Amino acid sequence: MDDTSILVTGGAGFLGSHLCDRLVAAGHEVLCIDNFYTGSRRNVAHLLGKSNFELSRHDVTFPLYVEVDRIFNLACPASPVHYQFDPVQTTKTSVHGAINMLGLAKRVKARLLQASTSEVYGDPEIHPQREDYWGRVNPIGTRSCYDEGKRCAETLMFDYHRQHGLEIKVVRIFNTYGPRMHPNDGRVVSNFIVQALKGEEITIYGDGQQTRSFCYVDDLIEGMLRMMDTPAEFVGPVNIGNPGEFTMLELAELVLKLTGSRSKLTFKPLPADDPKQRCPDIGLAQRTLGWAPTVSLEDGLKPTIAYFKGVLGV
Ligand code: NAD
Ligand code: UDP
Ligand code: UDP
């Protein structure tokens, strides 16, 4: 048991709630803050009775004065549908949120881990993406509020590190899925599973040949925890994701097989700036964290489908 006190922003969200589970189980004092924009109390309801867990409603765009040893900064809507609904707030959450968490980390001398994203690579010309690739991001498109907000948050992390000697850790998370994903968040894994379970048409955007690499949530959280524990001089950024790459058509076939659904495919227009290919190079994570994903897409989809069956009551 370890009574380090840890702040998790966005802790009532999909990834944040799984992170809180692990931290609470390890005996840390966990303070979870969330404005419940896309997250929900339900995701952490099972932790509310624990003496080492506290949940508080707070928006990271406002200052926060607490005493903690470590901060995991996850607050930010992550699915295109949600982050594009109020794009100005999305940028504010990434940028003002990062400034506030950095100011807090500076005052209390806490170590800060930033949940960055593969979206900092934009629609990449390099494949698979390595951390030293600078990316190809449209600064003025509909995805920019998220991509550029996260890029600016990374800039702030590294400047506070260089200028104020802050202990920072930056992880670039690739598409992650699992139980507690929001059923209506528009992401491909949740959309396909919900559509398959309801017997609705599976919506393939574009020709379905674009690729993504899907990491199961337990693997991802393990990578984040290991990153937080690395020596101070290792700051990242480090890719965390599963290099197994699938086209959206392959994903749809797998979901149909595992759900036993007879849903038909339907083709819809490809959203603007939708990256054609995405796959992490995880060599750095393997070398520095001794980490690699262990759960195959098929094995991870099974508990995810079971979760959505419960949510939908089917
Ligand atoms: P999520 O939407 O489930 O979680 C985000 C949480 O942040 C929610 O609980 C939401 O209510 C909260 N939040 C949003 N704005 C806030 C604000 N201003 N103040 C306080 N709380 C706020 O998404 P997720 O998939 O769990 O993503 C968590 C983090 O990981 C995000 O920073 C996201 O950018 C990053 N990430 C996720 C993925 C993925 O595939 N899931 C990929 C790359 C990066
Ligand atoms: N901040 C915070 N909690 C703290 C300390 C600072 O939320 O415990 C916020 C504060 O509102 C400030 C931001 O973090 O706007 C950046 O702090 P920093 O000390 O870097 O800058 P300054 O206070 O000089 O603007
Ligand atoms: N996608 C799709 N059908 C859907 C939702 C998404 O074909 O119902 C596609 C989307 O166009 C993208 C990929 O699946 O090419 C992954 O989309 P998601 O929103 O999950 O993540 P991101 O684009 O942020 O990687």
Side-chain angles (χ1 to χ4, degrees):
M1 294 294 260
D2 177 340
D3 61 357
T4 310
S5 113
I6 302 184
L7 170 65
V8 180
T9 78
F14 162 48
L15 298 181
S17 63
H18 286 274
L19 178 61
C20 287
D21 283 348
R22 289 284 305 268
L23 295 171
V24 167
H28 301 298
E29 292 293 323
V30 178
L31 171 59
C32 167
I33 65 139
D34 207 295
N35 70 349
F36 304 119
Y37 177 53
T38 51
S40 117
R41 272 197 183 76
R42 266 192 319 279
N43 288 336
V44 289
H46 56 287
L47 296 174
L48 289 174
K50 308 259 184 199
S51 59
N52 60 336
F53 181 79
E54 191 182 343
L55 173 66
S56 177
R57 180 192 288 266
H58 177 79
D59 187 317
V60 287
T61 60
F62 295 100
L64 178 67
Y65 288 82
V66 290
E67 308 304 314
V68 290
D69 304 306
R70 292 183 165 191
I71 303 167
F72 287 90
N73 188 32
L74 273 67
C76 186
S79 78
V81 170
H82 287 141
Y83 70 64
Q84 290 171 13
F85 178 75
D86 186 350
V88 173
Q89 172 68 8
T90 299
T91 304
K92 282 184 184 171
T93 293
S94 275
V95 177
H96 293 177
I99 291 173
N100 287 328
M101 290 308 108
L102 284 158
L104 169 61
K106 187 174 118 199
R107 182 178 62 79
V108 301
K109 299 190 173 38
R111 179 176 280 202
L112 170 57
L113 182 144
Q114 168 69 8
S116 189
T117 167
S118 56
E119 293 277 327
V120 300
Y121 302 122
D123 191 0
E125 307 113 309
I126 303 284
H127 202 73
Q129 291 82 53
R130 238 176 48 183
E131 291 85 350
D132 54 6
Y133 173 55
W134 290 355
R136 184 163 74 118
V137 175
N138 176 357
I140 56 168
T142 51
R143 290 176 91 98
S144 312
C145 58
Y146 184 71
D147 301 5
E148 296 288 17
K150 289 283 189 179
R151 285 171 69 97
C152 185
E154 285 199 13
T155 306
L156 285 160
M157 297 289 144
F158 279 81
D159 281 332
Y160 268 77
H161 171 64
R162 285 183 289 250
Q163 199 173 328
H164 299 298
L166 246 71
E167 278 193 25
I168 60 147
K169 306 279 174 191
V170 175
V171 292
R172 291 185 177 152
I173 302 169
F174 283 65
N175 298 61
T176 302
Y177 68 97
R180 302 191 199 139
M181 285 184 94
H182 199 299
N184 302 323
D185 78 359
R187 280 188 267 193
V188 69
V189 174
S190 42
N191 269 11
F192 285 6
I193 294 176
V194 169
Q195 290 161 347
L197 291 176
K198 287 182 163 173
E200 293 171 353
E201 291 183 327
I202 307 277
T203 53
I204 309 276
Y205 300 163
D207 62 7
Q209 294 298 340
Q210 71 272 33
T211 68
R212 292 293 186 275
S213 305
F214 299 102
C215 187
Y216 187 61
V217 61
D218 290 356
D219 280 335
L220 193 279
I221 299 300
E222 178 63 28
M224 280 176 91
L225 290 168
R226 287 192 192 199
M227 180 60 175
M228 186 55 121
D229 282 338
T230 51
E233 52 288 2
F234 183 63
V235 293
V238 61
N239 291 337
I240 306 200
N242 189 325
E245 192 179 352
F246 295 84
T247 67
M248 296 311 103
L249 284 174
E250 287 169 338
L251 175 68
E253 292 304 329
L254 191 53
V255 168
L256 288 174
K257 183 183 107 178
L258 295 174
T259 51
S261 165
R262 292 165 50 183
S263 289
K264 299 272 172 289
L265 306 185
T266 177
F267 290 83
K268 304 268 183 196
L270 192 67
D273 297 330
D274 198 272
K276 283 181 278 304
Q277 260 190 315
R278 190 184 291 139
C279 177
D281 180 320
I282 59 163
L284 182 64
Q286 285 173 313
R287 289 192 302 279
T288 54
L289 312 178
W291 174 90
T294 59
V295 183
S296 69
L297 182 57
E298 182 155 348
D299 284 348
L301 283 174
K302 288 174 189 163
T304 312
I305 290 167
Y307 169 78
F308 279 114
K309 279 185 176 167
V311 170
L312 300 174
V314 294

